[in-house]
Amino acid sequence: MRRVYLDNNATTPLLPEVFEAMRPYFAERFGNASSIHHHGQETRAAVENARESAAELLGCRASEIVFTSGGTEADNLAISGLAKGGDHVITSSIEHHAVLHACRHLDETGSEVTYLPVDGRGLVDPGDVRRALRPDTKLISIMMANNETGVLQPVEEIGRIAAEAGVLFHTDAVQAAGKVATEVVRIGCHALSISGHKMHAPQGVGALYVKKGTRIQPLFYGGRHERSRRAGTENVPGIVALGKAAELAKAALDRGDDKKMAALRDRLEQGILAQVDEAGVNGRGVPRVPSTTNLHFEHIDGEAIVIALDLKGLAVSTGAACSSGAIEPSHVLLAMGLRPDQARASIRFSLGKQTTADDIDFALALVPETIARLRELSPLYKKGTAVI
Ligand code: PLP
């Protein structure tokens, strides 16, 4: 059966070039990058090379890159490392749980966190950021691109507000890196998180940019790896892969591949909306990463759509998460003002570098008929006389 994968915001497949780059570091190039002999020097050089590539993608110095185990660790390092008990922190209500739950932990340990709302399009108002500032505000953490809707936040404006106020600014760019320009100087941030597996490197590796001169408390203690900012023997194959993926991502952005991806995404979005009534885009009319569209379909259950499409070979995801056995509507979509039933009936389609025009045709052939069939079966839907 043909299978098409449109869930690249969950994870992306390894690019063959990335796999080839990391492969030697599983076997013949196995040295500990801290060893002074040949084997260690070989892996040290590979790690530093990868650091240069990551730095080039972010427009920063190599020494400002701290490799981590992924986006979650990068976010936690930024939040817990830049703020401490007693500090005031500003974040948004639509952050990934890696940021939200790190902030919740700060909240429980003597800090105060302000969770800013978003408007119906999923945007944080920079004016709200300014109004939330207090004399004890230490850190602002606002994501660059939302993982569910792809909506891009006005991070440059927020960066300017942070600079004027003398407050640290962290942005979670896990879903933005490689899809849009992520130059830290333009953003004006002190810390920025990225994750390998969202940009065609493997799961289990990421990085945090930490601006030179910014004091950061490590999450855990051990050796002096990563300039004492992240202890632990380096995941050399993962780091090499992240470096290669960053290099490929930068080259693709320089070529303008993001515009091709946006065109595919727009064709998918418009094609579905032209064929399905009572549907809409979550995050319409605002800048989004080119990979993502999130659509709500009235009178239907998102889980049912995902399962039905999966049975036909199309992998997508819902705007809902399973927590303690119950299907909870997405906190992001609820924060944007969707009703719980609309949030549960939302589907995220996310493209990757491997996505082709044929894949989009495949999805366009499947989605409208699947929605129509499920609506026919749904007790919530009576043609012309919607029950909700
Ligand atoms: N931040 C965002 C916006 C994400 O989408 C994700 C993963 O979905 C993370 C952080 C966590 O990254 P990782 O899976 O590498 O821990």
Side-chain angles (χ1 to χ4, degrees):
M1 181 169 86
R2 176 163 184 201
R3 289 205 175 269
V4 168
Y5 182 77
L6 290 182
D7 197 16
N8 290 273
N9 285 15
T11 199
T12 52
L14 260 190
L15 288 176
E17 302 96 304
V18 173
F19 185 50
E20 282 316 311
M22 76 190 291
R23 188 203 291 270
Y25 297 91
F26 284 113
E28 63 267 34
R29 299 189 196 160
F30 58 84
N32 182 322
S34 299
S35 300
I36 56 173
H37 47 59
H38 163 81
H39 303 279
Q41 292 305 301
E42 194 170 55
T43 45
R44 168 58 52 204
V47 167
E48 296 315 316
N49 202 20
R51 202 184 302 282
E52 293 281 349
S53 301
E56 238 171 82
L57 180 68
L58 303 182
C60 66
R61 297 178 177 88
S63 57
E64 293 172 314
I65 297 289
V66 180
F67 288 117
T68 66
S69 64
T72 298
E73 188 189 327
D75 284 342
N76 275 267
L77 178 57
I79 306 288
S80 302
L82 297 176
K84 57 179 187 323
D87 291 333
H88 174 236
V89 175
I90 300 171
T91 188
S92 82
S93 48
I94 58 153
E95 299 296 313
H96 189 270
H97 285 132
V99 167
L100 278 181
H101 291 174
C103 284
R104 190 195 289 172
H105 174 72
L106 273 186
D107 233 342
E108 288 162 1
T109 50
S111 295
E112 237 189 276
V113 182
T114 301
Y115 299 90
L116 297 177
V118 291
D119 66 16
R121 301 162 303 169
L123 280 180
V124 171
D125 177 355
D128 282 347
V129 177
R130 197 187 290 281
R131 284 185 285 276
L133 287 167
R134 306 189 331 199
D136 58 344
T137 306
K138 181 72 187 289
L139 175 68
I140 299 168
S141 180
I142 304 281
M143 71 198 324
M144 190 161 176
N146 184 265
N147 42 300
E148 296 189 28
T149 59
V151 169
L152 285 160
Q153 297 301 327
V155 284
E156 292 177 31
E157 211 173 328
I158 295 169
R160 281 194 291 277
I161 292 169
E164 278 166 30
V167 168
L168 297 173
F169 176 35
H170 162 251
T171 188
D172 174 343
V174 163
Q175 295 289 352
K179 296 170 188 163
V180 291
T182 42
E183 278 111 25
V184 292
V185 176
R186 217 161 41 84
I187 297 166
C189 56
H190 300 83
L192 178 146
S193 311
I194 64 171
S195 171
H197 74 107
K198 309 294 184 175
M199 46 188 285
H200 300 277
Q203 294 152 3
V205 65
L208 183 69
Y209 153 78
V210 182
K211 187 177 179 179
K212 187 172 183 234
T214 308
R215 285 174 68 95
I216 190 157
Q217 186 68 22
L219 280 178
F220 35 82
Y221 299 93
R224 291 193 177 170
H225 309 87
E226 300 298 299
R227 296 172 178 244
S228 299
R229 294 168 297 187
R230 200 277 186 177
T233 302
E234 294 89 342
N235 164 13
V236 178
I239 289 171
V240 168
L242 179 57
K244 186 69 188 175
E247 185 190 312
L248 294 170
K250 174 140 196 335
L253 280 171
D254 290 347
R255 277 197 308 270
D257 285 7
D258 50 323
K259 291 174 193 66
K260 289 186 202 146
M261 189 184 276
L264 287 180
R265 186 270 315 272
D266 291 347
R267 188 156 72 79
L268 174 67
E269 185 175 288
Q270 285 154 19
I272 293 174
L273 292 177
Q275 296 178 70
V276 181
D277 56 5
E278 296 187 88
V281 180
N282 299 323
R284 211 174 114 213
V286 289
R288 287 178 293 165
V289 283
S291 59
T292 311
T293 178
N294 190 312
L295 304 173
H296 61 261
F297 301 98
E298 300 283 343
H299 323 303
I300 202 165
D301 175 47
E303 283 272 293
I305 304 174
V306 171
I307 293 166
L309 290 175
D310 189 45
L311 288 172
K312 302 222 164 175
L314 180 65
V316 296
S317 112
T318 57
C322 186
S323 69
S324 32
I327 304 296
E328 296 289 340
S330 136
H331 67 285
V332 174
L333 301 179
L334 292 183
M336 289 166 65
L338 271 77
R339 299 189 312 265
D341 62 284
Q342 285 176 316
R344 279 200 195 88
S346 290
I347 299 289
R348 178 184 69 188
F349 301 84
S350 51
L351 287 64
K353 285 188 189 301
Q354 79 289 359
T355 306
T356 63
D358 269 1
D359 292 344
I360 300 301
D361 291 338
F362 182 80
L364 281 173
L366 271 185
V367 174
E369 67 153 52
T370 304
I371 304 280
R373 189 167 48 81
L374 288 173
R375 279 181 174 167
E376 288 301 325
L377 297 171
S378 168
L380 303 175
Y381 185 71
K382 296 270 172 293
K383 234 184 178 149
T385 55
V387 173
I388 303 176

